[in-house]
Amino acid sequence: MGVHSRLTGLRDLSPGERRALAAKSAGLDPGALDVLDPAAGLTLDQADHMIENVVGVLGVPVGVATNFRVNGSDVLVPMATEEPSVVAAASNAARIARVHGGFATTCSAPIMQAQVQVLGAADPQAARLRLLEARGELTALANAQDPRLVEFGGGVRDITVRLVPSGEDVYVVLHLVVDVRDAMGANAVNTMAEAVAARVGEIAGGRTLLRILTNKADLRLARARAVFDAEALGGPQVVRDIVHAAALAEADPYRAATHNKGIMNGVTAVVLATGNDTRAVEAGAHSHAVAPDGRYTSLSHFERDAEGNLSGSLELPMPVGLVGGATKVHPVARAAVRLLGVRTASELAGVVAAVGLAQNLAALRALATEGIQRGHMSLHARNVAVTAGASPEEIPTVVARMLAAKAVRADRAEQILAELRAGAGAAEGD
Ligand code: MEV
């Protein structure tokens, strides 16, 4: 049975009912996501094995984004975030993208790189060539550190050497270019870099210092594109204004930072939900946002296509994995990966890029039309109503009246509740 991501009415259910429906719609057994119940999630004991000096665990809401169609298949997307509106906005944008088939994604091979820094080589130019001549020897030495990776079709693909001038010095910097398959790959490439360092120093005729991966993972790219229907967006003027909004981000670093933050709202939420390293993905994204001329710019592009619809595209490094680390250890991350139904790290990377593009489009559309505060205010109003003591039946009325009066405040919520209850009491007394 295929996955269905068009789950209307999800928000009217309880969290437990939503879990069961999401699991069923993803073709899983109804209890497959029950580990997402805080009472069943990461135990203190499990946490104690993950990091040091553990004193507790942090609960972050996990929502399910609906309507996503990626490369012709529906997918339900788990998103971990503390920010209101993010999950709803992504689902909304995915609904608009569906009109023209959803998201198309591609990924490069899962290539990570590690750097080995050499200091004090007397002849850096010649040292570079000597290291390139030793490609076979260094490759064998590095691959010997991870026979399982090689067995699974990964391992060193290339060795490159760069000369990096800094003041009086010229550092010889060797890169191990490694296919890490379904791992995020930090451990694999760091182990290899440490293993080859001494020999690299000998060949280069210098002292090795740093041996570490680069988070500028520009050989491990994920790309997503989608056509957003002009009518569903609100008409041709909205399309034109979104293009202008995106153009400002391309031209102005102040806007680009916020524009890219909107993309990362979606990206980080999926990366976190699947137990991946959010900082690695963020470091990669921001380093990729630097144009060849050194300007910080936007990661995505928006254009009007020949039919007048909005064509959006996004490319960014996506160092995420499915094996090793928290993805395998954290029960919630495991359930999130099951919900996604992805079988390879590249499939996961493609979905993350699609969510980033959806999130970006949702923000731009809101900014180009009514602004983002209205959407935020309805969610904020819900929280105010709950804090004022509204029951689940009373919440919609309290929220609607506060929004209509443009007064989303605790005192107003309490007043509306008192009026509602007095009215209900009078009706019962009739
Ligand atoms: C808020 O978390 C994200 C936005 O600021 C992104 C944007 O401005 O594009 C709405």
Side-chain angles (χ1 to χ4, degrees):
M1 197 190 74
V3 176
H4 302 293
S5 68
R6 294 272 294 142
L7 304 187
T8 47
L10 198 61
R11 71 168 168 196
D12 303 322
L13 304 177
S14 70
E17 290 167 334
R18 289 185 196 129
R19 282 199 301 270
L21 180 60
K24 190 166 151 252
S25 309
L28 304 173
D29 51 84
L33 302 179
D34 282 354
V35 72
L36 272 85
D37 187 315
L42 185 72
T43 64
L44 202 55
D45 205 36
Q46 287 165 326
D48 202 20
H49 288 102
M50 288 174 73
I51 64 162
E52 310 73 41
N53 299 350
V54 165
V55 292
V57 294
L58 170 73
V60 176
V62 179
V64 172
T66 57
N67 302 327
F68 274 87
R69 194 164 179 78
V70 179
N71 297 335
S73 300
D74 275 19
V75 58
L76 284 163
V77 185
M79 299 179 76
T81 180
E82 86 302 339
E83 183 166 332
S85 297
V86 163
V87 177
S91 306
N92 220 349
R95 185 178 47 75
I96 297 173
R98 275 183 94 88
V99 178
H100 296 283
F103 298 84
T105 71
T106 52
C107 290
S108 62
I111 302 282
M112 296 296 283
Q113 300 182 67
Q115 299 185 291
V116 180
Q117 177 193 18
V118 185
L119 282 61
D123 52 353
Q125 298 286 353
R128 175 171 170 268
L129 298 198
R130 287 198 298 276
L131 287 167
L132 291 173
E133 286 156 28
R135 184 178 189 270
E137 178 195 346
L138 295 172
T139 299
L141 191 54
N143 279 343
Q145 310 309 311
D146 205 334
R148 264 186 84 74
L149 179 63
V150 176
E151 207 178 294
F152 281 109
V156 175
R157 290 284 181 267
D158 201 2
I159 285 179
T160 58
V161 185
R162 298 165 50 241
L163 299 185
V164 181
S166 170
E168 299 288 288
D169 297 308
V170 176
Y171 300 125
V172 179
V173 181
L174 176 130
H175 284 218
L176 288 175
V177 181
V178 186
D179 184 325
V180 297
R181 301 280 88 196
D182 286 324
M184 183 275 182
N187 277 330
V189 301
N190 288 341
T191 306
M192 288 177 175
E194 291 192 0
V196 300
R199 186 69 188 121
V200 167
E202 261 170 43
I203 297 169
R207 179 168 73 88
T208 50
L209 189 59
L210 302 188
R211 296 137 288 154
I212 187 74
L213 92 167
T214 168
N215 283 119
K216 184 170 165 55
D218 54 4
L219 298 178
R220 194 177 193 177
L221 299 176
R223 310 170 198 97
R225 67 174 183 84
V227 173
F228 299 96
D229 187 68
E231 202 186 323
L233 283 170
Q237 190 56 42
V238 176
V239 172
R240 278 192 287 271
D241 285 346
I242 293 176
V243 172
H244 280 301
L248 179 61
E250 282 192 40
D252 174 18
Y254 284 90
R255 175 57 204 153
T258 322
H259 178 101
N260 291 341
K261 191 273 185 183
I263 294 171
M264 300 313 284
N265 275 345
V267 167
T268 302
V270 188
V271 171
L272 182 61
T274 56
N276 274 287
D277 184 340
T278 52
R279 288 84 55 217
V281 173
E282 282 160 6
H286 292 296
S287 64
H288 202 65
V290 178
D293 65 4
R295 231 172 0 102
Y296 182 86
T297 184
S298 56
L299 288 162
S300 63
H301 303 279
F302 287 90
E303 311 154 300
R304 229 169 126 248
D305 74 6
E307 280 74 47
N309 296 311
L310 183 71
S311 174
S313 50
L314 170 67
E315 179 188 85
L316 74 174
M318 197 51 68
V320 290
L322 289 180
V323 297
T327 305
K328 271 280 177 276
V329 175
H330 198 302
V332 172
R334 284 206 305 265
V337 170
R338 283 190 73 195
L339 178 65
L340 279 166
V342 289
R343 287 153 305 178
T344 63
S346 293
E347 277 180 28
L348 173 60
V351 174
V352 178
V355 176
L357 181 60
Q359 205 73 54
N360 188 205
L361 177 276
L364 294 183
R365 183 186 181 217
L367 290 167
T369 55
E370 62 184 14
I372 60 158
Q373 280 311 82
R374 208 172 82 102
H376 273 286
M377 274 331 246
S378 357
L379 279 155
H380 177 56
R382 255 189 91 79
N383 288 339
V384 172
V386 171
T387 312
S391 67
E393 296 74 38
E394 292 166 330
I395 291 171
T397 315
V398 178
V399 167
R401 289 196 193 171
M402 281 195 294
L403 289 175
K406 291 197 166 46
V408 182
R409 295 190 318 260
D411 62 313
R412 187 82 183 109
E414 281 160 19
Q415 189 192 343
I416 296 168
L417 267 178
E419 286 164 12
L420 268 180
R421 288 172 186 172
E428 270 166 31
D430 286 346

